[in-house]
Amino acid sequence: MRERLAIIGAGHVGLVYAACLAELGHDVSVYDIDPERVASLRRGAVPFFEEGLADLVKKNLKAKRLTFSTEPGAALKGATMAFICVPTPSATDGGLDEAPMRRALQTIRQHARGGRPIVVTKSTVSVGMNRYIKELFRDRKVPVVSNPEFLREGSAIHDFFHPHRIVLGSDDKAAMAAVAKLYETIDGPVFTTDPITAELSKLAANAFLALKVSFANSIARVASSSGGDVAATLKILGTDPRIGPGHLRAGLGFGGACLPKDLAAMEHLARRSATPYELFSAVAAVNQDQRQHVMDILQGKLVSLSGRRIAVLGLAFKADTDDVRESPSLALIAELLAAGANVVAHDPVVKLRALGKDAPAAVQRRSALEAANAADAVVIATEWTEYGRLDLPRLRKRMKGDLLVDARGMLDPIVSRKAGFDYVGIGS
Ligand code: UDX
């Protein structure tokens, strides 16, 4: 059945859900507080890079299944369900900052009539939030369903249509069934459960993915210091189906809008519940240490970083996205600058000037080769495919020094050394 749906928040999650639900044939109206964002979305311009999203937005705008508005009344009018897709960044205590969430809830409350719309929480929230929302809407007789998202940036559209699981958590079975119906043409297991379990299923997933990355990084450090082959060790490890090959790439550590904050939220929850939290803090500490490890390598080889020219290849927190939130590359650049180095950066998609006041004081060049001009060292910080295909002899000729720190395991050590590099690999 064709439903009239409202999406609150035109960010990464909100836009992907809006476009994909419209693609499934529903009438989707998106509300966002940012007038500039809404104006450009009405023209079909997506404010960030996500494979296939702009096409899907344009197609569904044209089919009039997708609309954008800064007027909550327009977006919520007649909606049977309202999906909350606002950000929940880390709060200072490690928990989640739910101020945008509370604003979204007030907005929906003002327009809730006759038991509608069903409130669907997509944003990652603290455990217990959905029960709080249920109480908030009790007088409006509006049901609440937790429906966490598990989308990876860079393959979010694929993940929507091919989910590993669809999780629905509510005390209201009819409301859960109504939300489940939206996804009935999508092939993926549906789990219906209580709201707390649904909330935990999201935090636990991201905390575990973070743990796998930190585990891979710890094994990589042991393997390389004991003379083992890092990539082979991790590849062999991942063949065990109980372990699995995903998120076992060693490198500069994890970043992004989700893994660091959800790991912190998990630790915060464990501490608050007076249950063991040390595992989560260790995962975060290992992650921090990966950057320090790169700094140690550079300092060990170059002695002092002051006045040294370091080319950093990659700014995004991972390949195939223009997102720099919690980017390990930007954190490394900040440390290099603090140590007095001159940083020349490159990224195929991210533009430093677009980061405004958050941009580090680094220079950006249009190609990796240009960034390497007269550099004392090159660091590969993001796993963009093009860095695995660098013309190494040309890169080496451009540089003043010969140090190549491959922090994402993109290059062949033997080939790199043949091209004249002092090659140090820390990834796989
Ligand atoms: C993550 C979850 O995967 C997704 O299910 C959730 O809904 C949102 O958070 P995303 O933030 O897009 O998705 O990134 P992900 O692909 O999980 O990578 C996170 C970070 O870990 C990146 O910085 C990436 O470079 C790093 N990573 C990932 C590794 O260092 N090694 C790996 O093997 C995998």
Side-chain angles (χ1 to χ4, degrees):
M1 203 179 94
R2 193 169 169 166
E3 295 280 355
R4 167 97 177 76
L5 307 172
I7 304 275
I8 314 297
H12 220 111
V13 172
L15 275 183
V16 170
Y17 269 89
C20 292
L21 287 166
E23 183 68 13
L24 289 180
H26 301 292
D27 284 320
V28 183
S29 189
V30 185
Y31 161 70
D32 197 282
I33 50 171
D34 180 348
E36 268 177 47
R37 180 168 284 225
V38 167
S40 55
L41 281 166
R42 282 179 172 160
R43 295 191 302 271
V46 174
F48 50 81
F49 175 71
E50 177 64 50
E51 186 72 41
L53 182 58
D55 289 345
L56 217 53
V57 166
K58 280 189 203 118
K59 180 181 166 196
N60 284 285
L61 270 174
K62 209 167 158 202
K64 300 202 182 324
R65 286 191 295 261
L66 189 57
T67 56
F68 296 96
S69 178
T70 50
E71 286 298 320
L76 284 156
K77 193 167 176 232
T80 52
M81 298 174 209
F83 287 76
I84 304 184
C85 303
V86 296
T88 48
S90 269
T92 42
D93 64 357
L96 298 170
D97 174 0
E98 272 145 358
M101 180 76 174
R102 287 172 203 275
R103 279 197 293 276
L105 291 170
Q106 286 311 328
T107 303
I108 299 172
R109 252 185 83 76
Q110 282 159 16
H111 296 89
R113 304 273 181 281
R116 286 287 178 265
I118 298 172
V119 176
V120 186
T121 49
K122 274 276 162 219
S123 307
T124 304
V125 293
S126 306
V127 168
M129 185 65 170
N130 280 281
R131 287 253 162 87
Y132 162 82
I133 301 173
K134 183 181 153 189
E135 289 310 312
L136 188 70
F137 281 87
R138 187 175 285 282
D139 60 340
R140 299 283 205 277
K141 298 191 170 46
V142 164
V144 181
V145 178
S146 164
N147 177 208
E149 57 82 19
F150 298 96
L151 308 173
R152 288 164 302 174
E153 287 186 22
S155 54
I157 307 257
H158 176 271
D159 290 351
F160 177 93
F161 288 107
H162 306 278
H164 295 123
R165 73 290 210 191
I166 293 167
V167 178
L168 300 164
S170 180
D171 299 320
D172 187 318
K173 288 207 164 61
M176 261 194 299
V179 180
K181 217 167 168 18
L182 293 179
Y183 304 114
E184 67 187 353
T185 54
I186 291 178
D187 198 14
V190 179
F191 294 91
T192 51
T193 182
D194 62 87
I196 292 196
T197 307
E199 290 161 347
L200 270 172
S201 72
K202 172 63 193 272
L203 286 186
N206 277 353
F208 190 72
L209 292 172
L211 177 138
K212 282 191 90 177
V213 176
S214 279
F215 189 85
N217 283 327
S218 297
I219 295 293
R221 297 276 289 275
V222 175
S224 67
S225 68
S226 49
D229 180 331
V230 171
T233 307
L234 291 169
K235 193 171 174 194
I236 294 165
L237 180 70
T239 57
D240 186 328
R242 292 168 300 174
I243 298 172
H247 278 62
L248 275 189
R249 275 190 339 266
L252 196 54
F254 57 82
C258 296
L259 261 53
K261 100 174 150 65
D262 292 354
L263 175 70
M266 199 72 207
E267 182 187 336
H268 180 258
L269 176 64
R271 282 180 188 267
R272 212 182 59 192
S273 334
T275 56
Y277 60 83
E278 293 82 355
L279 179 65
F280 308 119
S281 38
V283 170
V286 169
N287 199 46
Q288 286 285 337
D289 196 55
Q290 285 306 103
R291 274 167 237 158
Q292 189 52 48
H293 183 45
V294 173
M295 288 296 286
D296 291 346
I297 292 168
L298 290 166
Q299 250 144 2
K301 295 273 186 186
L302 301 175
V303 186
S304 166
L305 289 177
S306 180
R308 297 291 201 163
R309 198 176 172 88
I310 314 288
V312 175
L313 305 187
L315 295 165
F317 83 93
K318 67 173 188 179
D320 303 322
T321 177
D322 60 354
D323 197 340
V324 295
R325 285 175 290 177
E326 297 289 321
S327 167
S329 167
L330 288 194
L332 177 72
I333 290 175
E335 286 184 34
L336 287 167
L337 292 169
N342 299 318
V343 178
V344 188
H346 170 260
D347 191 283
V349 178
V350 179
K351 300 281 169 273
L352 275 181
R353 63 171 186 279
L355 305 182
K357 64 174 176 37
D358 297 326
V363 177
Q364 182 163 12
R365 296 282 182 253
R366 271 181 310 189
S367 73
L369 283 180
E370 280 177 55
N373 259 345
D376 293 290
V378 168
V379 181
I380 300 181
T382 308
E383 64 276 25
W384 287 104
T385 315
E386 69 170 78
Y387 300 148
R389 300 187 188 129
L390 282 167
D391 183 335
L392 292 176
R394 276 183 74 198
L395 185 77
R396 174 68 191 85
K397 262 196 211 128
R398 295 265 184 147
M399 291 172 62
K400 189 166 88 189
D402 63 357
L403 181 58
L404 174 56
V405 183
D406 181 6
R408 293 287 180 183
M410 305 292 293
L411 300 165
D412 184 324
I414 299 170
V415 175
S416 306
R417 287 184 186 120
K418 262 202 189 131
F421 283 104
D422 179 6
Y423 175 91
V424 186
I426 66 157
S428 60

